[in-house]
Amino acid sequence: MALTPRFFLLLLLIITTLSPLQARPSTFHSRHARPNTFHPHHTLKHCNFDKIYQLGDSISDTGNLIRENPFGPATPCAQLPYGKTFFKNVTGRCSDGLLMIDYIATAAGLPFLNPYKNNASDFSHGANFAVVGSTAQPVHVLAEKNISSLVTASSLNVQLEWMFTHFNSICEIDCAEKFKHSLFMVGEIGGNDYNYALFQGKSIEEVETMVPDIVQTIKDAAQRVIQKGAVRLVIPGNFPIGCQPIYLTGFETNNSEAYDGYHCLKRLNSFSKYHNTHLQQAIRELRQENPNVAIAYGDYYHAFHWVFRNAQYLGFDIESRQKACCGNGGNYNFNVVRMCGDPQVPACANPDRYFSWDGIHLTHKAYKMMAQYLISDISRQFQCFV
């Protein structure tokens, strides 16, 4: 499954130039004041969380990248039709509506998390430090491996510094007391380290050698958060990337043996499992080292796969399960030359029938279904019962 040089060069050009779109700073909300309208069973309410703090990448960013000058406001997720389903405007979320962290906050009875880069925000119920395109490893560490971090320099270590700066402003002495009812989401992070490596010509075997260092970086970040007083953490794993349109397009092959029964690329999904296995071992070590801290594994892989397998029964169009709602061309409605956010790229009329929003990220509805799976699992792991 070799990545064609032409595809890589096009992808590199698109991402490094952050799309040829004009910035439209007036189109995104400075504050996310729209009320929550999603009401699940509120199973996380029994956990009594009063704040949530999020680290991560585009799976979780609610508006940080679009506030990173000079390029943030010109990035694809800062343009319509992103946000069109729920907010009716762009917010910096890389979907047509809500993300999993929005549903998790709602299930805990809390407001949506405001992005840290929005200085005018209310952070009384937590803050979101995640940034679209961010990596687990610092950009200089990736550069030493000849891997370019193409979107932002706000890697996990930078987000941690933001978080600790914020903590210094809200608790001078006993942070542990202040955070005893807080939930800390450490990721999902690390996916972009692999994305950049694979789309810059590294083989899967080469990228596999990166896994121990990336997992160690995530483990170290979690330990630093624990040292600041965190007592309940979720550390999510990676998605089955072999089911996503961007990878199905970039690694498309005529070899039928490369695909599983759901037409996902087996080797790429095996790689995701490899990362997740290492991450789960790191979580077991963290639990042993911190016996008084509850650490849950966020099983994004199986949440994704559960929704994907049951797409038809959940109201998705089975024929469009691996096509981008917002995209143009090819077998998966994904074209790296013209991606979602480009004014000439159309969005489907009914995103709720689609699993993938833009070929890279999921739709509002897909994230909702995944979140319901995760909320139940997290509640079980934290033993949040009536």
Side-chain angles (χ1 to χ4, degrees), residues 1 23 87 95 121 132 171 198 202 205 226 235 307:
M1 293 185 294
F87 296 97
S95 182
S121 291
V132 173
C171 61
L198 288 166
K202 303 287 186 184
E205 290 73 22
I226 290 169
I235 305 178
V307 179

Side-chain angles (χ1 to χ4, degrees), residues 28 37 41 109 125 153 165 192 241 288 292 300-302 345 367:
F28 59 81
T37 56
H41 296 298
H125 295 286
T165 297
N192 285 323
I241 61 175
Q288 292 173 353
N292 296 320
Y300 284 14
Y301 188 101
H302 285 103
V345 174
Y367 279 139

Side-chain angles (χ1 to χ4, degrees), residues 182 235 256 277 316:
S182 298
I235 305 178
S256 62
T277 297
F316 296 96

Side-chain angles (χ1 to χ4, degrees), residues 3-21 71 74-76 148-151 195-196 199-201 246 334-339 342:
L3 183 67
T4 65
R6 179 176 179 273
F7 184 89
F8 163 64
L9 289 172
L10 286 170
L11 185 70
L12 185 63
L13 177 64
I14 291 292
I15 299 179
T16 53
T17 57
L18 296 173
S19 101
L21 302 171
F71 300 114
T75 53
S148 298
S149 181
L150 303 173
V151 179
N195 292 340
Y196 297 153
F199 283 112
Q200 290 174 41
I246 183 174
F334 179 83
N335 186 336
V336 71
V337 179
R338 287 186 177 176
M339 298 171 67
D342 185 313

Side-chain angles (χ1 to χ4, degrees), residues 253-274:
T253 175
N254 291 326
N255 178 12
S256 62
E257 294 298 315
Y259 299 90
D260 64 17
Y262 296 98
H263 197 71
C264 297
L265 289 161
K266 292 188 287 189
R267 185 69 180 89
L268 288 167
N269 280 358
S270 293
F271 171 75
S272 294
K273 290 179 182 178
Y274 181 74

Side-chain angles (χ1 to χ4, degrees), residues 48-81:
N48 297 315
F49 297 127
D50 60 4
K51 301 177 188 67
I52 300 177
Y53 295 101
Q54 173 78 61
L55 301 162
D57 56 24
S58 61
I59 306 303
S60 308
D61 185 356
T62 57
N64 284 314
L65 180 66
I66 63 173
R67 292 177 170 84
E68 285 196 354
N69 291 320
F71 300 114
T75 53
C77 297
Q79 320 300 323
L80 288 170

